[in-house]
Amino acid sequence: MTSHSSSSSFPDNDDEPAGPKRNTDDNIGSIDYSLDAIENQLSSIALKTSIDGERPSVADDHHELLTETAKGSSREIESERPINSTGESNLSTETGVWRNSSEVEVDGATSSPCSSGYAGEMGTSSGTASASGADDVQQHRNSSSSEGNNGEVLHSAQSQWVPGKRHVDEDDTCMSWRQRKKHFFVLSHSGKPIFSRYGNEHKLAGFSATLQAIISFVEDGGDRVHLVRAGKHQVVFLVKGPIYLVCISCTEEPYESLQGQLELLHGQMVLILTKSVNRCFEKNPKFDMTPLLGGTDAVFSSLFHSFSWNPASFLHAYTCLPLPCTTRQAAAAILQDVSDSGVIYAMLMCKYKVVSLVGAQKAPLHPDDLLLLANFIMSSESFRTSESFSPICLPRYNSMAFLHAYIYYFDVDTYLVLLTSNSDAFFHLKDCRIRIETVLLHSNVLSDIQRSISEGGMHVENLPLYPSNRYGSLFHTEPKPHETSVGTGGPGGLWHFIYRSMNLDQYISSQFSSPITNYKNQKRLYRAYQKLHASMHHQQTGPHKTQFKKDDNYVLLCWVTQEFELYAAFDPLADKGSAIKICNRLYGEKDEDKGMQFENNFNIVFKGTTDFKCDMQAKVE
Amino acid sequence: MPPYRKQILIGRGRGDQFQSIVELPKVNDKEVVPWVCEELEKILFFHPADLPFPAQLSVIGLSEGLITFTRIFSPEAACEVIEAEMHSHVFFEPEPDIWMVMVVEKSKETEAIFRTEALRTILKEIHSLFIMFHGSIRVLLDKEPGGGLTRSHLHTFIMDYLTDFLMGNKFVLPNFRDSLKERGTVQMLTVGREAAIEVQSLVGALDSCMANTLGYSVILFQDLLVSTTLSPEDTTNLFSYSTLRLTPRVLSSSSGGTSTWSYLRKGTTFVPSHADLASRSASNLSDENYRVVRPLQHGKWSKGKDGFLVTDIWGVEVGNLVPTTPTLWLQQTEHKMYLCSYQHKSLTILLLIPVTSMLNGEEGITSLKQQLLENVSTKIFKVEEKLAKGWGGENAYHVKGYRYLLVDGDRCVSRASPPGKVTTLTKESLLAMNKVREDVDLEKRRGNGGDDEKDLEICIRAKNNAWVIAKGTRGKELYIVLEKANETLLYASEAIEKFSDRYCNGAFSLD
């Protein structure tokens, strides 16, 4: 496992130290000075200019970090988190008082769900961590530089990427740590480190106190710091009650995107713990939250990885696996059937894609909740090995309370999630799952899913040159060999597009075509879309209607209406006029065709096709 | 930290050892005094000076803390901006370890929506003008390590500069409504072939007037540059100074006449009550110990009977009360130059003569002036007449249907729609343009301003249906707002193409 993860893990470019490699010994002397200096500059002002609020002392905090872990405040969570786990837990004492289960007898070991999905993750994440942590900067650079030549496509990047915390041995005195492209930190309002993407939280206590000092200093002045910009670096701050989140990045992503990522990071924590953790800070400002997140490294690293490939993280929409309408309807019918019996949301998923999603509630499941839930399930190995019943919180649905998720994998990619508020519903949901599985097998839904996976998604090459073809033309009409999803580019120099339906909160994204064949190019396009999205939806000036952007890499065309958004990437030499024509064609030339070529890519069970058609009433100019 | 509004300060980095001349606040805590002392030493300029010291120290502390913090990750470029909910802090490091920080309050209601780079350009302009007259801050600090000399100079200079932004008791800084302007660039007069030959001949005559002194000449018509023999940087600085204090528009407004049209700063009228702002607020700096020249002091320049501009800013000769000729430093050559200004109607001629080559000082200047009057005045009259005849007036550079800004970064030159025409644009369009410019600024900064700047084209149809367009190619930038509703992207592109072909020599055209 160890050797495997170090050699085959797909490195996230953010891991890569930014900029030219500097002499590691350089500036180390000034590093210690730097933190001390900032502490002095900020905290001494706070102390000596009659602002006598508590300043976090680095040394003190560090001590408390070590001693407070086992103190009672963490038990607050224990009592507030519903304990519904069945079966045996293999938790270490460190990974959560609250996960100790009240044991419920279950027949047979195989039918016993894990107490929680990420409980079994300790082995994976720590194994990965130790493997990657052993990488030195140079090795790391080598592995990331080779990625560009592998010709791997994004989905294979996903499958090869191994979740887990990297570079655990680093701290802020290491030059390699400082050169990481994108850091995420979570700390408490008293300056205690809760989480750091890279490095050891305990060793970063001093750095964490510095971040706290900056935030508090500005807050003491009656203001709130959002962003600090320095050269290619941005430091983005987000305050969520007693929890402070900070991102330090030189990835050139827009501020709005980074802020959105911090929101999702917070949401992922809430999904695991609920917002009631805030009460612990009310009772004890120096409460140490770190142990509560023990074993969840893989969940967070997987989330950070998704920030560089998953459009859902900035579009706030979800995507579906392309399937014939009848297949999706068959899946929806049985899920709907089940949801009438106390299931709040029922979803059949294929990796991050929705096969079918139904809910008893009038409120649709928020795409961010879906993203965080899918990330949580996908990044936790233990869910794959047995059926599970895990308490989870949907931050957008109700951030204060736990729901219970019944999770079952039908095969390596396809899984069922049934959400209920009833903590005793495990056996009922198990029965539901058996019914669902029977129907899915009978109606060939599971085999259709496999076929869809092997066929891949929409290909721009299949876009008709003339607007005579009916919808469905973007799909493969005949099965294509497995994993030959890189195309040659579409008409008019079209390389890629994303279409988002506003009414459905769903998007579709075409397969990558030449020359966007490797992970580096795909990530670059992803970032370009991110910028385009942020620019179109700027708080002060947006939403804009149309944007045409041309640089050395692409011609990008974005078109936003009340019904949909279209993002399309073309060859940088593409003609403006033909790019516009292609966008119109993508969308459908005739009124009755509007967007219908995307019909098989949306989960439209509850909206109905008429609603879907209503989406499609505009034309780019 | 108490609430703060707009503040501008210059601090210097840690590591400088010198004594503060700033009067210390009365603090009882003995431990605090040395610390406060050390912190206050760092402040070379702070506005508003009447802000309590703890508040000043708070701003300094935050600024310095973040400069140090950001250097951890970005050693080559430290903190540039802090965006908070209610304030923006804009940073500029004009010299190593000398920092200028501007803090502005943000407010939608008061239209206080700024572009960071536009605010930084103000800091840049302050520093460029300062070193033109006083030399670098570091040299001043080296000259008198106590810092008193530097503080006195900075205080009077910056306060004189800031009076231009005062409206009543408030500073009005360039906001989103100025997104089709580019401070720190030169605006040129377009001249016909015939006039160009006349101008060239005048430049030659001025050169021969300065004989062997290796001097330079700059010619302005109204607030527009006609000709220069200086480097682009020095031209920009001198142009800025001229349009602030020397051109006929400025002289007529400061002498109480009605304000005429200004290409640069339309509507900015000088309020005499602000003239002594620097002197008033400088009282606590004890600057009477230093002889401080105030080149930006208002109402100090006037036109003499012989056509030469005179001022006593640089003092007067003992005995005959003749004003001393102004001097300034050239950035490129670091030479000290005499500044000799002559004005005829709308034409302003600036001659820069190296101090070292004028061995007989003021006497030499007098004979130079005499020579100019005798040998070149006819040419000057002729050129003025020619340029005035060809001059299209206030809206000379208006292009119907377009609101535009064209910037040539390499030559530090810009041209824009007349301010009066830009005001016809809606707030939405201007806000959208402001944001587009902010994005382009970011791209430029990330590209480290290298010569191989990437080509870029952004066409946005804003929610009010206006087209907001930015194009950049080979160091040139073009920004255009088209508010004709219901036009397509192709129409907008065609309009840009036409504009580029006709007014930009095809620089932004596709072929």
Side-chain angles (χ1 to χ4, degrees), chain B residues 157-431:
Chain B
F157 189 84
I158 298 174
M159 293 317 296
D160 284 337
Y161 178 87
L162 291 179
T163 52
D164 288 19
F165 296 94
L166 269 175
M167 297 284 269
N169 289 323
K170 275 187 166 182
F171 284 116
V172 179
L173 295 171
N175 64 6
F176 67 93
R177 295 200 178 275
D178 299 288
S179 54
L180 288 177
K181 282 182 191 167
E182 185 71 350
R183 181 178 285 275
T185 55
V186 166
Q187 285 74 52
M188 304 270 304
L189 180 79
T190 310
V191 293
R193 188 182 161 78
E194 228 176 281
I197 294 167
E198 297 281 355
V199 170
Q200 199 51 48
S201 156
L202 174 60
V203 172
L206 292 171
D207 271 350
S208 53
C209 216
M210 291 184 282
N212 302 322
T213 60
L214 291 174
Y216 301 91
S217 69
V218 176
I219 305 172
L220 292 102
F221 180 83
Q222 301 264 29
D223 280 355
L224 300 166
L225 182 74
V226 177
S227 151
T228 178
T229 56
L230 283 170
S231 70
E233 290 80 14
D234 286 320
T235 302
T236 308
N237 293 338
L238 205 61
F239 178 83
S240 300
Y241 183 68
S242 305
T243 50
L244 285 172
R245 298 293 179 264
L246 298 183
T247 56
R249 172 191 58 84
V250 186
L251 290 184
S252 62
S253 70
S254 64
S255 61
T258 32
S259 176
T260 54
W261 169 78
S262 153
Y263 191 83
L264 268 185
R265 294 172 173 84
K266 189 179 171 72
T268 308
T269 47
F270 170 58
V271 185
S273 62
H274 299 134
D276 57 351
L277 189 78
S279 345
R280 279 192 280 122
S281 56
S283 57
N284 61 347
L285 276 174
S286 321
D287 63 4
E288 61 270 18
N289 296 332
Y290 300 96
R291 160 92 186 91
V292 179
V293 171
R294 294 173 58 186
L296 287 173
Q297 201 177 358
H298 275 280
K300 286 287 184 178
W301 281 93
S302 59
K303 191 173 161 186
K305 282 180 185 166
D306 56 0
F308 285 96
L309 303 184
V310 285
T311 179
D312 61 353
I313 289 174
W314 277 262
V316 289
E317 279 182 39
V318 186
N320 58 9
L321 293 178
V322 173
T324 312
T325 305
T327 50
L328 51 82
W329 294 89
L330 286 187
Q331 198 175 316
Q332 197 189 33
T333 57
E334 294 186 359
H335 286 160
K336 195 174 189 180
M337 315 293 279
Y338 283 116
L339 171 65
C340 191
S341 333
Y342 177 82
Q343 206 163 75
H344 170 68
K345 294 185 180 171
S346 299
L347 203 68
T348 308
I349 290 167
L350 308 172
L351 296 179
L352 294 153
I353 307 105
V355 170
T356 47
S357 61
M358 199 59 86
L359 295 172
N360 45 357
E362 293 293 339
E363 254 179 60
I365 296 292
T366 314
S367 79
L368 173 77
K369 284 179 177 175
Q370 197 56 40
Q371 236 179 312
L372 187 133
L373 286 174
E374 285 168 10
N375 304 333
V376 197
S377 57
T378 331
K379 265 195 174 23
I380 292 174
F381 297 163
K382 207 171 163 188
V383 167
E384 202 284 333
E385 200 179 331
K386 194 128 217 160
L387 294 180
K389 208 181 261 178
W391 168 232
E394 183 172 340
N395 290 329
Y397 298 127
H398 173 54
V399 181
K400 206 180 165 193
Y402 295 84
R403 302 292 179 272
Y404 70 94
L405 167 69
L406 177 63
V407 184
D408 184 341
D410 296 338
R411 295 194 303 141
C412 304
V413 171
S414 74
R415 170 163 298 175
S417 289
K421 296 289 180 186
V422 175
T423 53
T424 63
L425 291 178
T426 61
K427 187 178 176 180
E428 287 76 24
S429 304
L430 288 165
L431 277 171

Side-chain angles (χ1 to χ4, degrees), chain B residues 12 18 44 98 137-147 150:
Chain B
R12 56 175 165 168
F18 62 95
L44 296 176
I98 306 281
I137 296 173
R138 181 59 61 194
V139 168
L140 278 178
L141 284 171
D142 290 345
K143 205 185 280 178
E144 203 245 26
T150 315

Side-chain angles (χ1 to χ4, degrees), chain A residues 580-592:
Chain A
I580 293 167
K581 274 184 195 158
I582 295 294
C583 282
N584 279 322
R585 197 171 305 154
L586 263 177
Y587 174 61
E589 290 284 336
K590 295 175 190 168
D591 280 352
E592 64 269 24

